[in-house]
Amino acid sequence: MENYRSTFPLNDAAIAREAFRQILLDPITWVPLVPAVAAYTIFGASALIAGALELMVLGGVGAYWRRQWSGLVEVLRRKKIADHNRAQNAILGAAADELRLSGATNDAQRLEQFVEIKREVEQRLHEDGTLTVQKVQLEQLIDSLCFGVRDQLSTLAHKEKNDEPVDRKATLARVDAAFETLKTTVTELDTILGPADAPGGASDASIEEITRRLREETEIARRVQARLRANEDVPVSSEPPRMETE
């Protein structure tokens, strides 16, 4: 069963199988074999000649697809990511609809705001067609955050409906803090996607932990920007920097 809580890691084996299936069905693969088959079945060429012609054709076809393989796999990877993100957003949207139907309109709107920012982040992460470790880890964090918020809001609505004890104020405080951090992350996204390593995986982390990690990334981004601005204002010196001693 596919895990829709996180887009990554991708199933590379399944992607490779799909690429191979497309190769087998592509006319480029089987049309060049027609002359060899025709030479044997229609024109009465010997099996040896037909076989030699077929081997030559297969060699050329194989060389062609070896050159095309990485590009084909990359296209399928991007399609898989886009399809998975659409499925995630549909799941989260359905959860918001359920909240609204249960009377939790404000909670539904909160979740929809997360989904809106999630879409924006996904678009910006994948708009240049490149996939880096940092982008993967950042998307994992945001996926986990959105689904964690969905879980907390759904649990809150369920308990309130059944008159179970629940701390609504504390739950909403965590959700609101996560949302503010998510908005700030989007603002600093270009700097966050610099050379620094992104935080580790967060598939099992709580929204508090994910919020903390995103805040750390945003703080690093702010420090980098401040350092760059400060360097622009400092005159260049020909002296080498001195080592600081404790």
Side-chain angles (χ1 to χ4, degrees):
M1 184 175 181
E2 190 164 2
N3 175 25
Y4 282 102
R5 292 184 72 96
S6 179
T7 302
F8 300 98
L10 297 174
N11 188 339
D12 289 326
I15 292 173
R17 287 194 298 269
E18 175 61 21
F20 188 67
R21 187 186 72 84
Q22 288 193 14
I23 288 174
L24 291 179
L25 296 177
D26 196 298
I28 293 176
T29 300
W30 53 267
V31 167
L33 296 175
V34 172
V37 175
Y40 179 71
T41 60
I42 299 176
F43 300 107
S46 67
L48 182 62
I49 294 175
L53 180 59
E54 185 173 338
L55 287 175
M56 290 175 59
V57 171
L58 287 174
V61 171
Y64 170 81
W65 283 119
R66 281 193 294 273
R67 292 193 299 270
Q68 301 299 318
W69 177 260
S70 60
L72 177 60
V73 169
E74 185 59 30
V75 169
L76 290 174
R77 284 170 63 86
R78 290 199 295 268
K79 182 179 183 299
K80 182 66 174 177
I81 292 168
D83 290 345
H84 202 283
N85 285 338
R86 278 193 295 270
Q88 283 183 324
N89 296 335
I91 291 170
L92 294 170
D97 291 339
E98 289 180 7
L99 288 170
R100 188 171 282 105
L101 288 173
S102 69
T105 302
N106 291 336
D107 295 343
Q109 291 175 344
R110 280 185 172 89
L111 182 55
E112 287 170 341
Q113 288 175 330
F114 277 89
V115 177
E116 182 179 351
I117 292 184
K118 179 178 178 294
R119 287 197 184 98
E120 179 184 349
V121 171
E122 289 165 352
Q123 180 180 356
R124 293 182 61 185
L125 289 179
H126 303 296
E127 62 188 358
D128 62 358
T130 62
L131 191 62
T132 65
V133 172
Q134 194 147 36
K135 288 181 179 180
V136 168
Q137 292 177 336
L138 186 59
E139 187 163 338
Q140 284 178 315
L141 281 173
I142 293 175
D143 286 348
S144 296
L145 185 65
C146 290
F147 277 90
V149 167
R150 179 205 63 172
D151 294 344
Q152 293 217 4
L153 292 178
S154 297
T155 300
L156 178 64
H158 176 75
K159 288 185 175 181
E160 289 182 334
K161 182 178 181 180
N162 295 329
D163 295 324
E164 298 179 34
V166 63
D167 191 343
R168 163 170 277 272
K169 184 176 180 181
T171 299
L172 295 185
R174 289 192 294 269
V175 170
D176 290 344
F179 183 68
E180 290 304 316
T181 301
L182 186 59
K183 287 198 302 183
T184 305
T185 301
V186 174
T187 302
E188 304 289 348
L189 192 58
D190 290 336
T191 306
I192 291 173
L193 292 176
D197 289 335
S203 58
D204 298 322
S206 65
I207 66 171
E208 295 93 334
E209 174 64 13
I210 299 169
T211 301
R212 182 188 66 77
R213 295 184 191 180
L214 289 176
R215 281 177 177 166
E216 288 177 354
E217 281 297 294
T218 304
E219 182 60 28
I220 290 171
R222 286 175 173 171
R223 290 177 182 175
V224 169
Q225 287 183 333
R227 180 70 61 83
L228 291 174
R229 286 194 295 266
N231 288 343
E232 290 175 357
D233 296 334
V234 174
V236 178
S237 173
S238 59
E239 298 180 1
R242 296 188 223 175
M243 296 293 294
E244 294 183 2
T245 57
E246 295 183 359

